[in-house]
Amino acid sequence: MTHLSNQQLASATERLARKMLGHWPTPLTELPRLSEELGIRVLMKRDDCSGFYFGGNKTRHNEFLIGDAISSGCDCVVWGAEIQSNNCRQTAAACSRFGLDCYLYLSPGHHRLDVNGNLLLHYLAGARVEIVDARIGPELDELLVEKGRALQAAGRRPYFWDRSRVIPRAAVSYALCLAETLEQCEAKTARPSAVYVSSAGSTGAGLALGKAALGFEGSIRNVCPMAWPWDVREDLARSATIAARAIGLPIEVRPGDIEADESQVGVYGRPTAAGQEAMKLLMRTEAILLDPVYSAKAMAGLLADARNGKIPSGSTVVFVHTGGTPVVFSLAPEMLASFTGSGT
Ligand SMILES: *Cc1c(COP(=O)(O)O)cnc(C)c1O
């Protein structure tokens, strides 16, 4: 297939329903002090500044998911993840914005149960929250289907979490994000050799789709925040291919096209030492707050690659800040200890 222009990609996505939530484009900013420290040029795509309810990558995802829910005639959304989920925070707010009821089923994972950070924000957005025992992944997915069926039986029209429907639609939003980012790079005469992002799901699948559709020659480095019970490369390639089909593009992404760095995983939902070091460095050099669960670990992946020469000195890379900052409030003692070196 010949490559698409940004405009052609945008037109292809018009066959999917969409409801606008964010302020686009998000800024692409230089990180001069970090760049100097690393001997490379680092640009940051500020998707943490998406402009909707504390921001993050789920703003882009939700434009297509809420669009899908509304155009399918749904009157409520059944969603779930762990208690401090950024996804659920954004979903709750998007539901509120369009007058849908939002039912959240949240797994404690390794989080504290006190109402703080994203858990507080779920309530403030008006979600009906239930804390459940099911673990994030296949077990919780099954529970969400059950809850959705029960609502159907009660006469409601729920839109519920279904991997095969949700992930490709969310992915399309990140193909568009890559187009937006490359246009901003061009305006800065920056030619990135790599894009770094925290993902083991829709975001990375979407960037892979964007890369194939637009003919971007740099690499997309997915720094995984968690270990799934399946092969991430296969999963992202499959999602990207299904997403391509959903917007009418004859693109097949193969597992070998996907780069996944699983060296930063740690315990899902918990900070890691390398992530905390990255978080502190970004704060000290650029006054930018990363989140301990996702973007800090992705930045740790970038730092490791810069230091071990995988990113050649003098080259340009883009880091996508995917948001998630409200989580710091739920991890106050850990954050304080790693930033100030003191216990509480
Ligand atoms: C959800 C999330 C990610 C990862 O998204 P994928 O669905 O794996 O693409 C990364 N960063 C933040 C802050 C998130 O909330």
Side-chain angles (χ1 to χ4, degrees):
M1 196 187 86
T2 53
H3 298 134
L4 270 58
S5 66
N6 287 357
Q7 187 50 50
Q8 288 169 321
L9 178 63
S11 304
T13 66
E14 279 166 14
R15 64 168 70 188
L16 295 180
R18 182 179 183 183
K19 289 284 180 193
M20 298 305 282
L21 290 166
H23 296 175
W24 316 119
T26 55
L28 179 75
T29 53
E30 302 277 354
L31 303 185
R33 298 188 66 221
L34 180 74
S35 297
E36 193 183 325
E37 179 140 343
L38 299 177
I40 58 174
R41 182 182 183 190
V42 187
L43 297 165
M44 187 181 276
K45 181 62 172 163
R46 296 296 305 268
D47 272 10
D48 59 317
C49 302
S50 66
F52 185 69
Y53 207 48
F54 294 86
N57 61 341
K58 307 309 184 304
T59 306
R60 288 189 196 269
H61 295 178
N62 270 325
E63 290 191 343
F64 286 93
L65 300 178
I66 296 296
D68 189 31
I70 292 171
S71 72
S72 313
C74 295
D75 62 6
C76 59
V77 171
V78 178
W79 226 242
E82 289 192 352
I83 287 181
Q84 286 297 332
S85 165
N86 303 304
N87 187 342
C88 291
R89 167 196 13 114
Q90 284 276 307
T91 301
C95 285
S96 172
R97 169 75 182 73
F98 289 104
L100 303 168
D101 289 333
C102 182
Y103 296 88
L104 296 182
Y105 298 93
L106 303 173
S107 166
H110 295 275
H111 303 283
R112 298 188 177 90
L113 293 173
D114 51 317
V115 179
N116 204 338
N118 281 322
L119 181 57
L120 172 63
L121 295 172
H122 306 328
Y123 284 111
L124 299 190
R128 294 155 204 227
V129 174
E130 195 180 309
I131 314 269
V132 298
D133 285 334
R135 283 157 54 127
I136 190 170
E139 199 185 329
L140 184 63
D141 290 358
E142 222 170 274
L143 180 119
L144 295 179
V145 173
E146 264 170 44
K147 297 290 184 184
R149 295 233 170 92
L151 281 162
Q152 277 169 337
R156 302 295 304 270
R157 296 187 306 278
Y159 187 75
F160 53 95
W161 169 255
D162 165 358
R163 278 187 66 80
S164 65
R165 186 170 185 104
V166 163
I167 291 185
R169 281 180 169 73
V172 165
S173 72
Y174 266 87
L176 291 174
C177 175
L178 184 67
E180 187 181 297
T181 306
L182 294 177
E183 192 169 315
Q184 290 170 314
C185 284
E186 227 170 85
K188 294 181 190 294
T189 59
R191 292 172 55 83
S193 60
V195 174
Y196 281 75
V197 69
S198 170
S199 178
S202 326
T203 308
L207 294 170
L209 169 60
K211 173 177 155 73
L214 302 166
F216 173 57
E217 284 173 1
S219 56
I220 308 285
R221 297 274 294 161
N222 296 286
V223 185
C224 300
M226 71 215 330
W228 287 120
W230 51 73
D231 185 286
V232 172
R233 287 173 195 81
E234 268 174 29
D235 184 58
L236 264 59
R238 191 178 327 110
S239 299
T241 302
I242 297 170
R245 223 156 279 154
I247 56 172
L249 302 180
I251 288 175
E252 181 165 351
V253 177
R254 292 179 194 85
D257 300 332
I258 304 284
E259 285 187 48
D261 175 357
E262 293 176 299
S263 66
Q264 302 292 336
V265 167
V267 175
Y268 180 54
R270 298 287 307 163
T272 58
Q276 291 307 98
E277 189 231 322
M279 236 180 129
K280 261 164 59 179
L281 181 61
L282 261 286
M283 184 47 73
R284 212 185 63 222
T285 54
E286 304 290 345
I288 290 173
L289 184 64
L290 299 173
D291 84 283
V293 177
Y294 295 97
S295 52
K297 294 173 186 173
M299 184 56 80
L302 186 157
L303 295 180
D305 286 359
R307 288 166 181 162
N308 69 23
K310 188 172 168 84
I311 306 174
S313 71
S315 53
T316 300
V317 299
V318 171
F319 179 86
V320 183
H321 189 331
T322 47
T325 47
V327 171
V328 295
F329 301 108
S330 73
L331 289 168
E334 289 87 342
M335 292 296 106
L336 202 56
S338 60
F339 273 65
T340 66
S342 68
T344 49

